[in-house]
Amino acid sequence: MSVRTPDPHPGWLSDEDLYEARRRLPMVYVEAIPVRVDPLGYVSQIGLLYVADGDGHLRRTFVSGRVMYRETLRAALMRHLEKDLGPLALPQIPADLRPFTVAEYFPHPSETELTDDRQHAVALCYLVPVTGECQPRQDALELSWLTPEEAMAEDIQSEFVGGRGRIIQQALASVNWGR
């Protein structure tokens, strides 16, 4: 049973073509970690999504999705943030689009510790402040706002899909949290 919501913009590849492309090419993704910041700009909360995997287990993740052909990174970030958090989330896309890290996922365990059993994927990862009301949509069952300390707790880290907890650690390091 698939819990995946069909892509509302299916125009670029059919499911069969996407399957074949994933077998032969690295796919480009954007990943966005929604955050709330205090008046001084420090991260006070991190928005983590709960999703059900193919076996019905609940896992934590964050906003993520493919960059479509001829789509800018800004447009891809906005599309996926709106798709997962709702149209009233009011994300603040950074003026400087340098990602805090580039994550590389492989279908099998590798030196990156990040896995995606469907494909080899390269993801540009961003922290994105969100100021509006978030209503999880698409595959997301719930959005939890956690403090950085809570997000780094071992029990929360163990709930991430494919090693993505490591991305949270890198995100917080990029804003000098915990130093």
Side-chain angles (χ1 to χ4, degrees):
M1 174 177 103
S2 174
V3 294
R4 209 176 139 210
T5 303
D7 188 346
H9 307 285
W12 75 291
L13 290 173
S14 68
D15 286 344
E16 296 80 23
D17 290 341
L18 178 59
Y19 174 79
E20 287 302 318
R22 282 178 165 159
R23 288 185 51 220
R24 292 181 167 88
L25 302 166
M27 303 300 286
V28 178
Y29 278 70
V30 289
E31 294 188 325
I33 300 171
V35 295
R36 302 266 192 215
V37 296
D38 69 15
L40 295 176
Y42 294 107
V43 172
S44 60
Q45 294 181 310
I46 298 171
L48 299 177
L49 298 170
Y50 252 138
V51 296
D53 66 16
D55 297 326
H57 298 102
L58 293 179
R59 305 302 243 157
R60 290 200 190 265
T61 192
F62 35 82
V63 174
S64 179
R66 291 188 314 269
V67 177
M68 293 178 18
Y69 180 68
R70 297 187 60 120
E71 182 178 43
T72 66
L73 294 175
R74 287 179 190 284
L77 279 166
M78 284 301 290
R79 179 170 59 85
H80 290 295
L81 285 158
E82 182 175 300
K83 181 180 75 165
D84 288 349
L85 302 180
L88 301 177
L90 304 177
Q92 307 296 304
I93 302 298
D96 181 353
L97 270 186
R98 280 181 282 188
F100 66 82
T101 195
V102 176
E104 195 170 14
Y105 295 89
F106 289 95
H108 304 288
S110 72
E111 60 273 6
T112 70
E113 300 176 18
L114 300 170
T115 59
D116 182 333
D117 59 357
R118 303 167 301 166
Q119 65 196 337
H120 174 189
V122 176
L124 306 171
C125 304
Y126 300 91
L127 279 173
V128 179
V130 173
T131 59
E133 293 298 318
C134 298
Q135 295 295 321
R137 300 172 24 172
Q138 297 293 81
D139 297 341
L141 304 173
E142 177 183 304
L143 173 70
S144 302
W145 289 101
L146 305 175
T147 66
E149 294 84 1
E150 291 168 334
M152 293 299 292
E154 190 174 317
D155 60 326
I156 299 296
Q157 289 287 305
S158 69
E159 295 178 356
F160 279 99
V161 176
R164 283 177 174 82
R166 186 165 184 237
I167 304 294
I168 298 295
Q169 295 168 4
Q170 292 172 322
L172 290 171
S174 77
V175 292
N176 294 321
W177 180 83
R179 291 182 187 207

